[in-house]
């Protein structure tokens, strides 16, 4: 299947592209304009950002010129943003309003709780539990008002997910965006999400900002050489082949195009090799510390 057309149907009925363009650490109006031009030209239709990435406004400005360039309308693209840890609870509306203004949109396709803990509060503070529940209620209201089309979470582990599903007020999270790659993958969490129809979306698929350890892993390199693909393409396809969505980022046209050119299959024997690499290494922050 053409990876640019590979989509997942969320609970709402809306379709989310399984391959999106991540923008973490990509800042500056000129750079954003350039990479989004490459991304839209390559076929990406999902743009992933967040309040704390400090690039929403530049993305909004870039889309004003780039959508017409590619004969696209707002409804032709899928925008994800995230609630910052500083705006849990009663501050949800303020953060969402700012993100909508920054992006120049009247709705966001998917809005995620970025982190299960609160800013300036100990990760061990029991209040995190009640505040998460209150935050979810505010996200439900935002969805009902039409400001967001779907809501979900990011960096939620098994404890956080099971807690949310017990107190979701009839509104299941559509997506859980987490770190996921052959050096760090939680099979129990994947099975739990898939059992409940929740899409797992991977970030740090290539190992994060400093990805040399994962990209150069001997098993990854050997399989890439055998398939005549890059190690990055193999890592991305490994997740996609497990029905896990991906949001790779890139700065060069070459990498941006390659990251969506995933119309190949990894043989099952090689999938097993990648899934059983003995190295265990987490490259991003650890939500397991958050009560």
């Amino acid at each position: 299947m053409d990876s640019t057309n590979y989509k997942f149907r969320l609970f709402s009925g809306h379709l989310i592209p399984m391959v999106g363009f991540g923008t973490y650490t990509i800042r500056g109006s000129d750079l954003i304009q350039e990479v989004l031009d490459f991304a839209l030209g390559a076929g990406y239709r999902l743009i992933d950002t967040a309040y704390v990435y400090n690039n929403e406004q530049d993305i909004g400005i870039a889309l004003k010129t780039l959508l017409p360039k590619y004969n696209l309308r707002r409804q032709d693209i899928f925008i994800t943003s995230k609630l910052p840890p500083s705006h849990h609870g009663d501050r949800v509306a303020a953060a969402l309003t700012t993100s909508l203004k920054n992006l120049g949109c009247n709705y966001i396709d998917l809005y995620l709780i970025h982190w299960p803990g609160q800013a300036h509060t100990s990760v061990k503070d029991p209040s995190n539990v009640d505040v998460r529940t209150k935050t979810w209620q505010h996200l439900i209201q935002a969805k009902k008002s039409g400001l967001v089309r779907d809501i979900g979470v990011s960096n939620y582990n098994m404890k956080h997910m099971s807690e949310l599903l017990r107190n979701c007020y009839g509104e299941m999270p559509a997506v859980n965006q987490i770190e996921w790659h052959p050096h760090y993958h939680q099979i129990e969490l994947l099975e739990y999400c898939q059992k409940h129809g929740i899409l797992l979306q991977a970030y740090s698929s290539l190992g994060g900002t400093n990805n040399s350890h994962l990209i150069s892993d001997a098993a990854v390199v050997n399989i890439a050489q055998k398939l005549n693909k890059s190690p990055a393409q193999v890592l991305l396809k490994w997740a996609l082949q497990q029905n896990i969505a991906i949001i790779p980022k890139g700065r060069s046209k070459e990498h941006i195009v390659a990251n969506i050119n995933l119309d190949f299959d990894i043989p099952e024997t090689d999938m097993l090799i990648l899934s059983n690499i003995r190295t265990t290494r987490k490259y991003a922050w650890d939500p397991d510390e958050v009560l």
Side-chain angles (χ1 to χ4, degrees), residues 140-180:
I140 292 173
Q141 286 304 120
K143 182 181 176 185
K144 287 180 178 178
S145 69
L147 296 177
V148 298
R149 288 191 166 179
D150 284 285
I151 55 177
V153 296
S154 181
N155 297 299
Y156 269 44
N157 62 16
M158 275 295 300
K159 170 192 172 298
H160 304 135
M161 287 300 296
S162 58
E163 169 198 289
L164 175 56
L165 264 59
R166 289 194 303 269
N167 300 284
C168 66
Y169 299 93
E171 185 69 49
M172 295 275 283
V175 171
N176 184 15
Q177 186 184 109
I178 63 168
E179 180 177 359
W180 183 278

Side-chain angles (χ1 to χ4, degrees), residues 48-263:
D48 180 273
T49 183
Y51 185 106
V52 299
Y53 293 176
N54 294 317
N55 61 14
E56 288 178 327
Q57 191 169 21
D58 287 330
I59 289 172
I61 292 169
L63 290 177
K64 281 183 171 62
T65 58
L66 292 175
L67 291 184
K69 176 179 178 178
Y70 291 101
N71 295 315
L72 296 170
R73 301 162 298 168
R74 166 65 184 91
Q75 57 265 41
D76 296 323
I77 62 168
F78 191 104
I79 297 177
T80 299
S81 194
K82 309 177 192 78
L83 176 81
S86 58
H87 282 68
H88 272 283
D90 293 333
R91 302 192 68 194
V92 168
L96 178 55
T97 298
T98 300
S99 289
L100 286 165
K101 182 179 178 181
N102 285 342
L103 291 163
C105 299
N106 55 18
Y107 71 91
I108 291 173
D109 294 277
L110 177 64
Y111 197 57
L112 307 177
I113 298 175
H114 204 159
W115 182 250
Q118 308 165 75
H120 313 301
T121 303
S122 169
V123 292
K124 301 301 182 184
D125 193 320
S127 70
N128 284 315
V129 178
D130 292 334
V131 168
R132 278 197 298 272
T133 300
K134 190 172 186 179
T135 297
W136 190 249
Q137 290 176 288
H138 281 285
L139 261 63
I140 292 173
Q141 286 304 120
K143 182 181 176 185
K144 287 180 178 178
S145 69
L147 296 177
V148 298
R149 288 191 166 179
D150 284 285
I151 55 177
V153 296
S154 181
N155 297 299
Y156 269 44
N157 62 16
M158 275 295 300
K159 170 192 172 298
H160 304 135
M161 287 300 296
S162 58
E163 169 198 289
L164 175 56
L165 264 59
R166 289 194 303 269
N167 300 284
C168 66
Y169 299 93
E171 185 69 49
M172 295 275 283
V175 171
N176 184 15
Q177 186 184 109
I178 63 168
E179 180 177 359
W180 183 278
H181 47 73
H183 284 181
Y184 187 82
H185 49 108
Q186 306 168 74
I187 299 302
E188 183 185 11
L189 182 56
L190 171 62
E191 292 175 347
Y192 184 85
C193 288
Q194 291 183 337
K195 173 185 175 182
H196 291 283
I198 300 164
L199 177 66
L200 203 67
Q201 189 179 55
Y203 71 76
S204 293
S205 296
L206 310 183
T209 304
N210 181 12
N211 58 26
S212 59
H213 296 284
L214 183 55
I215 288 286
S216 62
D217 188 291
V220 176
V221 171
N222 289 339
I223 292 170
Q225 290 174 343
K226 182 170 70 172
L227 297 176
N228 195 28
K229 300 295 178 182
S230 71
Q233 287 175 308
V234 167
L235 290 167
L236 293 169
K237 186 65 178 185
W238 172 80
L240 200 59
Q241 208 161 299
Q242 298 173 76
N243 292 316
I244 297 168
I246 53 175
I247 45 170
K249 64 178 183 287
R251 287 177 170 78
S252 72
K253 184 176 182 178
E254 178 187 5
H255 288 155
I256 291 170
V257 171
N259 287 346
I260 201 172
N261 184 18
L262 303 174
D263 303 328

